């Protein structure tokens, strides 16, 4: 059996599994010459199964994970030219997320860990998103202290990190997540599911500024408070009111202008709050992850601002921003190899090889390691 210290020695293979929402994903990483290398990465999306309901149906999501996870893991192994016997550790997201979906991934990971007698590493979905920025495919690793904006369908969080594994949530949405706001707006405009990418494509098809929408006027926190919160429900309600007052034909005609205005308001809110926190907290790098980080307008505005204020900006490529298991592998790798100031030279987290009591928690909080 492996002990914590031998996990991820040179050439050892780690399998990561992600099933927390509506993506079934598996990835394999190894360490070569001290550097993490992504060997294979497989993602199966369930969009087509949820489309006709206009949103994720938890029961369908869980059932679909159960149906395809085996094949996804087999494909990740095949692409790596490896088998179960080559695995040295297995990592899995155990929260936050849909409970029925989480259970499928965690049960599979436990079975593999038990059968192969290898360590099992639980990973928080939010820390996984952040660690997508530490994969070589995302470019140079960010420097600490860093501020991470996680903007997805389920979360909009600002997380301050002084070092690996040390997380402080310094902002969050008070209502809808940014991706959720995009999805609801897309639905209001009659766009295809999921609304985020569809609304962005429509908005980007015009150079006009579009209809002006309000953004929440949340005052910056007074020190020592650290709460650069977001709110998107007002912008969404303004769009809903606009749509209600128009005829179907008028909505159809103004769709592009409405989409452009809505995207611009959400992007402005995200950029303003994030840079207000980044400057106040004097971070060296800004990391932007989660599905909404695929948004080109957001990427462009963040880049422009980062250049202006000279903060290192790290936005992984879009395929690493939406849910995947490569980011889970990256978080697990850093979790078992990171040395924190608290642990002075010892791994931040000891991973017992028989840790099969890992629980799923649909609202698992983001906790520091060690
Ligand atoms: O991170 P993710 O794959 O799953 C969650 O953890 O939620 O994020 C999915 C979210 C959805 O709300 C989707 O509409 C949004 O990310 N999204 C976008 C874009 N691409 C995906 N939102 C705005 N613009 C995009 N280009
Ligand atoms: Zn996610």
């Amino acid at each position: 059996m492996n002990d914590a210290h031998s996990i991820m020695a040179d050439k050892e293979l780690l399998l990561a599994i992600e099933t927390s929402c509506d993506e079934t994903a598996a990835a394999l990483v190894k360490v070569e010459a001290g550097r993490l290398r992504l060997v294979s990465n497989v993602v199966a999306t369930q969009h087509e199964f949820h489309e006709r309901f206009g949103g994720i149906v938890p029961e369908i999501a869980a059932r679909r994970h159960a149906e395809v996870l085996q094949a996804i893991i087999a494909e990740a192994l095949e692409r790596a030219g490896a088998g179960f016997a080559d695995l040295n550790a297995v990592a899995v997201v155990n929260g936050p997320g849909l409970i029925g979906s989480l259970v499928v991934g965690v049960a599979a990971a436990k079975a593999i860990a038990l059968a192969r007698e290898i360590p099992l590493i639980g990973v928080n979905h939010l820390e996984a998103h952040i660690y997508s920025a530490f994969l070589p495919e995302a470019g140079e690793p960010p420097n600490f202290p860093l501020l991470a904006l996680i903007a997805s369908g389920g979360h909009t969080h600002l997380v301050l990190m002084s070092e690996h594994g040390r997380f402080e949530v310094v902002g969050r949405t008070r209502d809808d997540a940014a991706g959720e706001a995009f999805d609801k707006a897309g639905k209001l405009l009659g766009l295809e599911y999921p609304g985020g990418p569809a609304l962005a494509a429509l908005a980007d098809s015009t150079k006009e500024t579009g209809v002006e929408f309000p953004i929440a006027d949340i005052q910056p926190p007074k020190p020592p408070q650290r709460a650069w919160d977001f709110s998107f429900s007002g912008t969404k309600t303004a769009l809903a009111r606009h749509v209600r007052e128009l005829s179907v034909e008028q909505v159809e005609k103004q769709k592009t202008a409405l989409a452009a205005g809505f995207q611009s308001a959400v992007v402005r809110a995200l950029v303003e709050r994030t840079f207000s926190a980044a400057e106040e907290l004097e971070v060296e790098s800004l990391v932007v992850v989660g599905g909404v980080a695929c948004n080109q307008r957001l990427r462009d505005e963040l880049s422009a601002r980062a250049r202006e204020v000279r903060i290192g900006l790290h936005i992984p490529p879009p395929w690493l921003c939406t849910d995947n298991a490569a980011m889970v592998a990256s978080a697990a790798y850093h979790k078992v190899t990171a040395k924190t100031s608290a642990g002075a030279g010892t791994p931040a987290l000891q991973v017992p090889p028989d840790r099969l009591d890992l629980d799923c928690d649909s609202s698992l909080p983001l906790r520091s390691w060690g």
Side-chain angles (χ1 to χ4, degrees), residues 93-361:
V93 166
N94 65 320
L98 300 169
I99 194 70
S101 294
L102 290 166
V103 165
V104 177
V106 169
K110 282 184 180 177
I112 295 167
L114 185 65
R116 298 304 320 156
E117 297 190 333
I118 52 176
L120 173 66
I121 306 153
V123 171
N124 182 299
H125 185 75
L126 298 178
E127 74 194 11
H129 269 303
I130 296 174
Y131 274 90
S132 65
F134 286 92
L135 280 160
E137 286 73 11
E140 282 302 305
N143 291 325
F144 296 106
L146 70 79
L147 181 71
L149 167 65
I150 308 168
S152 70
H155 299 91
T156 302
H157 273 44
L158 280 173
V159 181
L160 175 65
M161 288 177 72
S162 53
E163 60 179 342
H164 279 298
R166 197 141 298 279
F167 308 104
E168 185 191 346
V169 177
V170 293
R172 62 176 78 219
T173 180
R174 295 182 181 175
D175 39 60
D176 292 347
E180 189 183 357
F182 267 107
D183 292 340
K184 287 177 176 170
K187 212 168 167 179
L188 283 167
L189 296 178
L191 304 179
E192 70 187 51
Y193 171 86
L199 188 140
L202 189 60
D204 292 345
S205 70
T206 176
K207 293 227 174 330
E208 306 292 321
T209 49
V211 177
E212 199 174 314
F213 287 109
I215 61 172
D217 181 22
I218 303 177
Q219 292 306 304
K222 290 195 180 66
Q225 253 190 347
R226 282 136 89 94
W228 284 269
D229 286 349
F230 301 93
S231 166
F232 299 103
S233 71
T235 309
K236 178 199 64 194
T237 307
L239 172 67
R241 202 175 310 123
H242 218 94
V243 168
R244 228 181 7 247
E245 283 163 8
L246 298 174
S247 68
V248 178
E249 293 75 36
Q250 284 171 318
V251 172
E252 198 50 41
K253 249 170 120 184
Q254 289 192 26
K255 222 153 86 167
T256 309
L258 291 168
F262 185 84
Q263 170 172 272
S264 152
V266 173
V267 165
R268 190 154 39 99
L270 286 169
V271 173
E272 289 308 320
R273 297 259 96 191
T274 301
F275 276 93
S276 159
E279 287 174 58
E280 184 66 31
L281 296 166
E282 296 180 349
V283 293
E284 278 211 32
S285 336
L286 178 61
V287 166
V288 184
V289 291
V292 179
C294 295
N295 188 282
Q296 195 55 48
R297 174 83 189 262
L298 177 65
R299 296 170 89 94
D300 292 346
E301 292 203 12
L302 287 165
S303 303
R305 268 301 270 284
R307 263 196 310 274
E308 232 174 80
V309 299
R310 293 166 193 267
I311 285 181
L313 177 65
H314 301 258
I315 316 178
W319 60 274
L320 280 175
C321 289
T322 47
D323 288 351
N324 64 83
M327 67 186 192
V328 180
S330 174
Y333 163 74
H334 285 92
K335 219 169 187 179
V336 295
T337 55
K339 293 172 179 57
T340 66
S341 49
T346 57
L349 191 90
Q350 299 291 324
V351 184
D354 55 351
R355 204 180 131 201
L356 291 179
D357 60 347
L358 184 74
D359 281 330
C360 298
D361 182 347

Side-chain angles (χ1 to χ4, degrees), residues 68-87:
V68 304
L69 181 57
Q70 292 241 25
I72 298 301
I73 294 172
E75 187 167 340
L77 286 167
E78 196 185 311
R79 286 191 198 175
F84 283 109
D86 301 311
L87 300 179

